[in-house]
Amino acid sequence: MNYTVFGNPIAHSKSPKIHQLFAAQEHATIEYTRTLVDDNPQAFQAAVQQFFAQNGGGANVTLPFKQHAYALAQHHSPRAQAAGAVNTLISQADGTLLGDNTDGLGLVQDLTQNLQFSLKDKRILLLGAGGAARGVILPLLECQPAQFIIANRSPEKAQALAAQFHIQAQTFAELSGCFDLIINATSGSVSGSVPEVPPQIFSGCQLAYDMFYSAQPTAFMQFAAPNGAAHTSDGLGMLVGQAAASYQLWRNFAPQTAPVIAALRKELHA
């Protein structure tokens, strides 16, 4: 079976390696490629249609095409509808495409299974109100936290998401109080910057989680730890978890994520 990930840029994607490791667990043989697509909706649509016309088994979608994938899919999971974005395309028997979003599943799986962090009755703060944040809110809420606040530098995006999901919204400057879990969904760690939040919000924080990952602790992790966060984690486990959810949707096989995370971590430090 053939699978691919669509994106631009895409050469850095670890998806082929991750899915080959999953296939090895299943004792299956798959082909998983990277597909670079020109950054426009027409090129993306043409590439997806060509892939599935040539018996593509399933596809992942990364930046900047997740919203294009949502528009292209004829059917959507509740997770995709909540996110307004699709990272997994599944071919249906009638030739149509089902769009799903497994980002939140990957985050929850990493938190609850790999990090052994129960989300029920916890106070959760989500930093950032872009697509990365929107894609994980519903799965987090389904874990029944006691409190859920979304914060953003500018209020408009956070307020829109708060209204959609019936949660609280604040600006970074307004933040106060204690949180059990603080998740960084801003793009700051890509450039080594930290959200402009009051340092004292990390006092009493059990886990500070960065959705970005790197070989070394991210800028957010380095900021959170000395300001009171008991534990920190990057998002490598989320990357593997969302891929595992996609793999299961395509092949009805649930891969083990821990050995794949360990393999990627070893590669990062090589």
Side-chain angles (χ1 to χ4, degrees):
M1 292 291 285
N2 297 325
Y3 304 91
T4 196
V5 55
F6 294 100
N8 187 339
I10 200 61
H12 67 285
S13 174
K14 297 191 180 299
S15 292
K17 166 137 185 151
I18 292 170
H19 285 273
Q20 291 294 352
L21 290 171
F22 292 160
Q25 292 182 25
E26 192 189 1
H27 304 292
T29 300
I30 68 167
E31 182 175 343
Y32 191 111
T33 58
R34 303 178 184 92
T35 301
L36 177 68
V37 183
D38 288 342
D39 186 2
N40 67 74
Q42 295 77 22
F44 174 74
Q45 180 175 344
V48 170
Q49 289 174 339
Q50 180 181 10
F51 173 75
F52 281 102
Q54 295 172 347
N55 295 320
N60 287 126
V61 181
T62 189
L63 297 174
F65 299 117
K66 290 184 180 183
Q67 288 174 311
H68 297 333
Y70 184 90
L72 184 61
Q74 292 92 344
H75 315 283
H76 305 92
S77 72
R79 293 185 293 265
Q81 289 176 339
V86 159
N87 78 336
T88 305
L89 291 167
I90 306 132
S91 182
Q92 304 297 285
D94 62 359
T96 59
L97 291 175
L98 169 65
D100 206 335
N101 190 309
T102 65
D103 287 332
L105 292 180
L107 173 60
V108 168
Q109 198 254 7
D110 192 34
L111 289 168
T112 60
Q113 296 184 32
N114 299 320
L115 299 173
Q116 299 289 298
F117 188 91
S118 171
L119 295 164
K120 184 174 170 59
D121 297 327
K122 295 298 197 297
R123 298 160 297 176
I124 298 176
L125 171 63
L126 182 62
L127 301 175
R134 184 175 174 180
V136 302
I137 295 174
L138 180 62
L140 287 169
L141 286 174
E142 288 174 340
C143 296
Q144 300 177 294
Q147 181 186 41
F148 197 115
I149 292 176
I150 184 166
N152 199 46
R153 184 173 53 192
S154 57
E156 294 81 10
K157 278 187 173 182
Q159 288 167 353
L161 287 179
Q164 178 184 345
F165 292 100
H166 308 292
I167 55 178
Q168 295 174 261
Q170 296 183 8
T171 64
F172 288 160
E174 292 170 337
L175 287 171
S176 63
C178 292
F179 302 93
D180 299 303
L181 171 64
I182 300 177
I183 301 170
N184 180 31
T186 73
S187 58
S189 289
V190 177
S191 58
S193 63
V194 174
E196 296 176 4
V197 296
Q200 57 268 27
I201 66 169
F202 292 98
S203 178
C205 173
Q206 296 177 33
L207 176 62
Y209 187 100
D210 197 341
M211 289 166 66
F212 180 74
Y213 70 90
S214 66
Q216 304 303 321
T218 67
F220 175 76
M221 294 165 66
Q222 292 180 49
F223 179 68
N227 284 301
H231 302 281
T232 63
S233 176
D234 71 7
L236 184 63
M238 175 182 171
L239 173 73
V240 176
Q242 62 81 26
S246 294
Y247 194 94
Q248 186 171 0
L249 287 167
W250 295 327
R251 301 184 58 81
N252 199 30
F253 174 85
Q256 297 297 309
T257 58
V260 178
I261 295 167
L264 291 183
R265 187 72 70 189
K266 186 176 180 181
E267 193 176 81
L268 278 176
H269 288 111

